[in-house]
Amino acid sequence: MASALYFCDDKGKPILSRRYKDDVPLSAIDKFSTLLFDCEEQSSILPPCISHSGIDYLFIQHNDLYIVALATSLSTNVATIFTFLHRLMAVLGEYLKTVEEESIRDNFIIIYELLDEMMDYGIPQVTETKMLKQYITQKSFKLVKSHKKKRNAARPPNALTNSVSWRPEGIKYKKNEAFLDIVESINMLISQSGQVVRSEIIGAVKIKSRLSGMPDLKLGINDRGIFTKYLEGNDIGTSPAIEEIDDKGKKSKNTESSITNDGKKARSNIELEDLKFHQCVRLSKFENEKIITFIPPDGDFDLMNYRLTTSIKPLIWCDVKMQTHSNSRIEISCKAKAQIKKKSIATNVEILIPVPDDADTPSFKYSHGSIKYVPEKSAILWKIRSFPGGKEYSMRAEMLLPSIGNSEDTKMKKPVQVKFQIPYFTTSGIQVRYLKINEPTLQYKSYPWVRYITQSGDDYTIRVNNN
């Protein structure tokens, strides 16, 4: 594993270091700036790992810093080291707010304490911020001078010695609740004719835990769609009627499990690209019994993240046409349609339509929502607060262009960007069948709440039709 960790400035010169082993010479870090310069000369893209004289320099960039881990080639677990480096930056962000060269120099004592607790002999240990904050506080940089202060110094919680290192003991709430959100973000590129060029679903199961004691949770979801590919060789049977917990905490029957949102049955050939669980999930039980069981951390966390690459039709479709007249004015027409079921409603819809940089004097006609010209983005922003499924709205805009110009300049190559949210709806068909909460010692009543949200991702775009 890692032999040493270094914080270096933007030139590769070391600022702070912590050595865990002696198998790497002290002078090894002095070569990092030279190796960094050589790589920058050869290519504009820096590799994440540089090997030299049997030593691996694994590093990430953060603001004006390089965080470098040194390891010998025979003992390097690259994935674990990079995961730790990113986790270290997240923890430091919680403590220092802004992680940069100046904040590293001003808080070196607390950083040393964190490095000692988070890694031992080059092997990652405790990386949960909530656990670290119980005994490493913002005042920890002050040196303890007297024996009395040592007695009162914060001690590591018992949870660090148990298997549940992410949750301390003694948590109490007057009202015990667990909020579960299934949030799916849709990334999609759509051609001018409405054909889907590429599409993917990025999903997350988010939980906000406000439960006392050490509760054991069991989450059941319909495996048919999302886990069939992941659990190869397992026989997964599902009922067409899925028992789920609705947003009011009550059980109900739900027969909808469509991947295409058009009333057709879900297909079984969904390809699951990535599936990542929080460390609290018992993976062996999930792989053997297809049940997700866990003791949750306190507060907000992501229980599960997944990604699906599958063909789905556009949920919000926009047919945008632009027509230039004698290079003096441009007409823009847009028809937007919510291609979701009538019982669903898209909210906070934003359609950003690009226009030529030098266009001005806009005039609008529209059937619904509100429209404004955003000159700093060279675009027209059309907002629709509520967009029921099956509805179609339209808008027209006319803008003036400079009298002298090239017709090619007026043709927009930038795509239309769309943002939206659809509550109580999932595109992948994932549904919660049950969420059981059991605390063996306290035996309290608990209230689970489940909510579904489908929204646009960072890359939901539609190409423009230029005439």
Side-chain angles (χ1 to χ4, degrees), residues 140-380:
S140 296
F141 68 91
K142 293 182 179 180
L143 297 176
V144 179
K145 296 181 180 179
S146 66
H147 294 290
K148 291 183 179 179
K149 288 186 177 180
K150 285 185 179 179
R151 291 173 186 171
N152 296 329
R155 297 181 179 179
N158 294 333
L160 286 181
T161 59
N162 299 337
S163 59
V164 188
S165 62
W166 53 87
R167 184 182 179 90
E169 296 180 351
I171 296 175
K172 291 184 179 179
Y173 287 101
K174 291 183 178 179
K175 187 176 182 180
N176 293 281
E177 297 176 308
F179 302 88
L180 187 148
D181 288 346
I182 296 180
V183 182
E184 292 189 343
S185 300
I186 310 298
N187 288 325
M188 185 176 292
L189 175 61
I190 308 165
S191 68
Q192 300 172 1
S193 60
Q195 297 295 320
V196 177
V197 179
R198 57 175 171 80
S199 62
E200 68 173 0
I201 304 170
I202 299 176
V205 178
K206 299 177 178 290
I207 291 182
K208 182 177 182 180
S209 172
R210 298 178 60 85
L211 300 170
S212 305
M214 281 287 178
D216 202 324
L217 275 64
K218 183 185 291 186
L219 173 65
I221 61 178
N222 59 320
D223 320 82
R224 171 174 49 182
I226 194 167
F227 293 135
T228 303
K229 191 82 174 180
Y230 182 77
L231 299 170
E232 291 183 3
N234 289 326
D235 237 351
I236 301 175
T238 56
S239 169
I242 301 166
E243 187 178 50
E244 63 172 343
I245 307 170
D246 63 16
D247 59 309
K248 296 182 180 179
K250 298 179 180 179
K251 292 183 178 181
S252 61
K253 294 290 183 178
N254 190 314
T255 58
E256 182 180 351
S257 58
S258 172
I259 189 66
T260 57
N261 314 316
D262 56 4
K264 296 180 181 179
K265 291 183 179 179
R267 293 171 289 180
S268 60
N269 60 342
I270 302 172
E271 294 186 8
L272 184 65
E273 298 290 338
D274 295 302
L275 179 62
K276 183 175 70 174
F277 287 107
H278 189 274
Q279 61 175 320
C280 66
V281 175
R282 301 180 181 95
L283 293 180
S284 59
K285 197 170 186 67
F286 169 72
E287 292 174 353
N288 296 330
E289 303 179 27
K290 303 180 286 293
I291 297 175
I292 301 174
T293 60
F294 57 98
I295 297 175
D298 187 45
D300 300 322
F301 69 100
D302 283 3
L303 177 70
M304 182 178 76
N305 298 93
Y306 57 91
R307 182 164 64 94
L308 300 171
T309 301
T310 183
S311 179
I312 57 176
K313 72 177 183 180
L315 303 181
I316 302 295
W317 159 241
C318 298
D319 184 11
V320 180
K321 295 180 181 179
M322 295 189 180
Q323 188 171 8
T324 306
H325 298 277
S326 303
N327 294 338
S328 61
R329 63 186 178 90
I330 184 171
E331 286 187 0
I332 303 160
S333 64
C334 176
K335 291 182 180 179
K337 184 176 182 180
Q339 300 187 138
I340 53 180
K341 293 187 176 181
K342 292 183 178 180
K343 64 180 181 179
S344 299
I345 298 176
T347 61
N348 301 321
V349 178
E350 294 186 3
I351 303 171
L352 192 67
I353 305 171
V355 298
D357 295 338
D358 50 1
D360 58 14
T361 319
S363 61
F364 306 115
K365 292 181 180 179
Y366 50 95
S367 62
H368 200 79
S370 63
I371 296 180
K372 68 176 180 178
Y373 174 46
V374 188
E376 61 270 19
K377 294 184 179 180
S378 298
I380 296 171

